[in-house]
């Protein structure tokens, strides 16, 4: 096979440990351009919470660079090596840690709050837009923790925890086992939806930006929310479990944005299912990630 498909040893390493890195994704020049495009849009829309939220939560629908990236074979080939030829992008989102800030991401498993029914059918590709190091808040993974299945989490609602409910694992995590996911700009890591992972604050002088792309296979189902959306990025969808995502005709096309609002409301239904606090209004100032 040509392209960027993983060889057997790397695919096996992913299955053993629940993650793989570094995996080359885009060139450092492309990563720099995408970072610039993102920072420009976020800077321009800082005072428009609605638009700011789109950039964070559905960047593939509002940023041309991300729209192209989610279909890029340099990202999809390695993912196909692990999940097969039919791939949907279920979501995309930025994780940004501003310099000298205390924001962190608590220990968690991704699939706990997404309402999806099968943890063997989801992978995150996390692409570094700028070098990511221990000093600026690189992710940390616990090897083989994906084998524990889904475990209990608790909601902390801490503002400094970037996750939607400030959630964290309610089981002990042996941080001595943790691996720092240091990446050069343009590289990515791949991780399993049940892997224990977190990331500490960024005390450094530089902003840390990562773009997380969540891929699933079409057999997956949304079992908590009423409806869910995804974009077919490779192969075929023989199941139709997900509604197609709106495709704005141009960057921040207002017609597309109405549909995106409806989509974000559906997302809130499963992210906040059973939570004590209500989901924030779509377009609210606070931007939480997953
Ligand atoms: O970027 C981070 O610090 C955390 C990202 C994360 O938890 C994820 O992509 O699943």
């Amino acid at each position: 096979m040509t392209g960027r498909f993983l060889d057997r040893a790397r695919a096996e390493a992913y299955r053993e440990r629940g993650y793989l890195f570094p995996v080359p994704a885009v060139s450092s020049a492309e990563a720099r351009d995408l970072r610039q495009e993102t920072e420009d849009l976020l800077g321009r829309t800082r005072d428009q919470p609605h638009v700011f939220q789109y950039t964070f939560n559905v960047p593939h629908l509002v940023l041309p660079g991300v729209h192209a990236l989610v279909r890029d074979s340099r990202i999809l080939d390695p993912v196909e090596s692990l999940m097969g030829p039919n791939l949907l992008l279920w979501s995309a989102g930025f994780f940004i840690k501003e310099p000298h800030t205390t924001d962190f991401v608590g220990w968690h498993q991704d699939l706990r709050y997404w309402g999806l029914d099968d943890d063997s059918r989801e992978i995150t590709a996390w692409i570094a837009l700028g070098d990511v190091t221990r000093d600026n808040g690189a992710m940390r993974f616990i090897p083989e923790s994906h084998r524990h299945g889904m475990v209990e989490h608790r909601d902390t609602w801490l503002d400094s925890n970037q996750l939607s409910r400030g959630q964290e694992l309610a089981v002990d995590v042996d941080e001595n086992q943790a691996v720092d996911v240091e990446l050069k700009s343009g590289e990515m890591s791949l991780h399993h939806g049940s892997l224990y992972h977190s990331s500490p604050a960024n005390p450094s002088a530089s902003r840390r930006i990562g773009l997380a792309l969540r891929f699933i296979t079409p057999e997956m189902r949304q079992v908590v929310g009423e409806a869910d959306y995804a974009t077919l990025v490779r192969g075929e969808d023989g199941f139709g479990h997900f509604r197609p995502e709106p495709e704005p005709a141009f960057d921040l096309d207002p017609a597309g944005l109405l549909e995106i609002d409806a989509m974000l409301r559906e997302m809130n239904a499963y992210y906040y299912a059973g939570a004590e606090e209500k989901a924030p209004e779509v377009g609210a100032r606070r931007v939480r990630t997953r």
Side-chain angles (χ1 to χ4, degrees):
M1 259 190 210
T2 52
R4 295 270 187 97
F5 293 93
L6 300 176
D7 62 24
R8 188 169 300 185
R10 296 207 90 196
E12 200 42 49
Y14 171 88
R15 291 199 179 93
E16 267 302 296
R17 297 180 203 141
Y19 64 82
L20 186 69
F21 74 91
V23 178
V26 298
S27 69
S28 55
E30 287 170 288
R32 189 196 52 223
D33 290 349
L34 189 58
R35 181 181 174 116
Q36 190 64 56
E37 187 187 3
T38 306
E39 289 182 327
D40 286 351
L41 186 58
L42 287 172
R44 270 191 284 131
T45 57
R46 202 157 276 280
D47 298 330
Q48 303 168 55
H50 235 89
V51 180
F52 195 73
Q53 200 178 47
Y54 301 143
T55 314
F56 257 92
N57 288 323
V58 284
H60 57 302
L61 304 181
V62 298
L63 278 165
V66 181
H67 186 267
L69 194 65
V70 304
R71 293 160 176 81
D72 192 312
S73 60
R74 294 171 295 178
I75 316 279
L76 296 181
D77 288 354
V79 175
E80 174 173 340
S81 311
L82 302 170
M83 296 223 292
N86 301 317
L87 296 172
L88 297 169
L89 178 85
W90 178 74
S91 86
F94 287 105
F95 280 87
I96 300 184
K97 300 229 186 99
E98 298 294 343
H100 305 299
T101 52
T102 55
D103 275 15
F104 71 102
V105 171
W107 286 103
H108 69 287
Q109 294 172 300
D110 287 335
L111 282 166
R112 173 64 186 81
Y113 293 99
W114 293 354
L116 297 171
D117 70 341
D118 185 343
D119 83 344
S120 66
R121 300 190 183 283
E122 188 274 338
I123 281 184
T124 293
W126 193 104
I127 302 162
L129 303 184
D131 291 348
V132 174
T133 64
R134 281 178 68 141
D135 298 332
N136 66 13
M139 275 196 291
R140 311 195 78 208
F141 292 158
I142 303 289
E144 299 184 31
S145 51
H146 64 307
R147 296 176 191 276
H148 299 322
M150 231 7 90
V151 305
E152 282 297 303
H153 287 59
R154 57 180 159 244
D155 298 340
T156 71
W157 302 105
L158 264 184
D159 275 339
S160 50
N161 183 342
Q162 291 189 331
L163 297 175
S164 53
R165 314 152 68 127
Q167 65 263 35
E168 60 181 23
L169 289 170
V171 296
D172 286 341
V173 175
D174 179 1
E175 297 203 23
N176 292 321
Q177 307 281 325
V179 172
D180 295 307
V181 188
E182 296 196 307
L183 297 169
K184 294 255 175 281
S185 190
E187 290 178 341
M188 65 179 174
S189 56
L190 301 174
H191 72 260
H192 187 283
S194 297
L195 189 77
Y196 296 3
H197 62 292
S198 68
S199 67
N202 176 13
S204 82
S206 63
R207 181 186 263 159
R208 194 224 69 173
I209 305 191
L211 173 64
L213 306 180
R214 322 289 187 178
F215 296 101
I216 59 174
T217 66
E219 294 89 340
M220 187 78 111
R221 282 176 191 275
Q222 172 57 243
V223 289
V224 175
E226 289 278 302
D228 205 349
Y229 295 77
T231 291
L232 184 67
V233 288
R234 181 167 274 189
E236 288 173 9
D237 177 356
F239 294 85
H241 293 161
F242 294 84
R243 297 183 185 167
E245 294 182 305
E247 287 231 15
F250 51 89
D251 193 10
L252 295 176
D253 170 4
L257 299 187
L258 282 178
E259 262 191 272
I260 293 175
D261 274 357
M263 216 178 114
L264 292 175
R265 273 192 287 275
E266 295 285 357
M267 277 185 188
N268 277 346
Y270 49 83
Y271 283 143
Y272 290 89
E276 272 173 27
E277 281 190 25
K278 271 190 14 207
E281 286 299 308
V282 170
R285 185 70 195 85
R286 184 169 189 195
V287 179
R288 282 186 171 275
T289 42
R290 308 304 183 218

